[in-house]
Amino acid sequence: MQTKHIATVGMAGVAVAILGLAVSTSAHHAFAAEFDANKPVNFTGKVTKMEWVNPHAWIHIDVKKPDGTIENWAVEAGTPNVLYRRGFTKESLLPGTEVVVDGYQAKDGSHRCNGRDLKLPDGRTLFLGSSGTGAPYESKDDSQK
């Protein structure tokens, strides 16, 4: 009788683990589900906040328009782990840092984009994208292939 109870508890544990995996993978989206490869964006602005969260880090940027108004953009980047391995740290993008962003706008036309490259004030360019997102591949440097 005790063996039957252990088997039931074990099967319940497996079911919970599978359900948890299904929920976490459904939260991660493909590039094409949310962003438009035919709507490239390029803008300069000042970082207001960097969110080091999974499954994607987010960079919030204030962009000054020609008429003086400010647009707040949210730029989706790769995972925090991938960004760290590419040279990002929490000190890389402090509030007030002026950056240039290349990316692809959200399909809904909001001020959100999937970031491709981010140029820092010292001239360094950091690749923001994550591999396997389905985003267009536009390497400017053969070493990125």
Side-chain angles (χ1 to χ4, degrees):
M1 189 69 167
Q2 190 173 8
T3 304
K4 192 174 195 178
H5 176 70
I6 291 171
T8 303
V9 171
M11 290 303 288
V14 170
V16 168
I18 290 171
L19 180 60
L21 180 60
V23 169
S24 69
T25 56
S26 69
H28 189 244
H29 62 269
F31 171 89
E34 198 168 343
F35 302 100
D36 189 340
N38 296 314
K39 289 185 180 176
V41 294
N42 180 288
F43 54 83
T44 301
K46 291 189 178 182
V47 173
T48 59
K49 177 171 65 168
M50 174 84 180
E51 293 181 280
W52 289 85
V53 295
N54 281 311
H56 296 279
W58 286 89
I59 305 163
H60 299 272
I61 299 173
D62 279 348
V63 178
K64 191 173 188 177
K65 294 174 51 177
D67 66 3
T69 60
I70 302 290
E71 288 181 343
N72 305 108
W73 279 79
V75 180
E76 181 185 67
T79 67
N81 184 37
V82 167
L83 294 178
Y84 183 76
R85 286 185 283 147
R86 290 182 182 148
F88 274 88
T89 66
K90 290 188 178 186
E91 289 75 38
S92 295
L93 294 174
L94 296 174
T97 304
E98 187 166 279
V99 295
V100 178
V101 173
D102 281 317
Y104 302 92
Q105 190 167 12
K107 285 184 172 184
D108 66 7
S110 65
H111 295 146
R112 288 181 313 111
C113 71
N114 180 274
R116 183 180 137 28
D117 289 320
L118 181 133
K119 190 172 201 173
L120 295 169
D122 65 8
R124 287 182 298 148
T125 298
L126 299 172
F127 179 63
L128 291 177
S130 57
S131 62
T133 62
Y137 183 78
E138 301 174 16
S139 178
K140 296 176 185 172
D141 176 2
D142 286 340
S143 69
Q144 292 180 3
K145 292 182 180 179

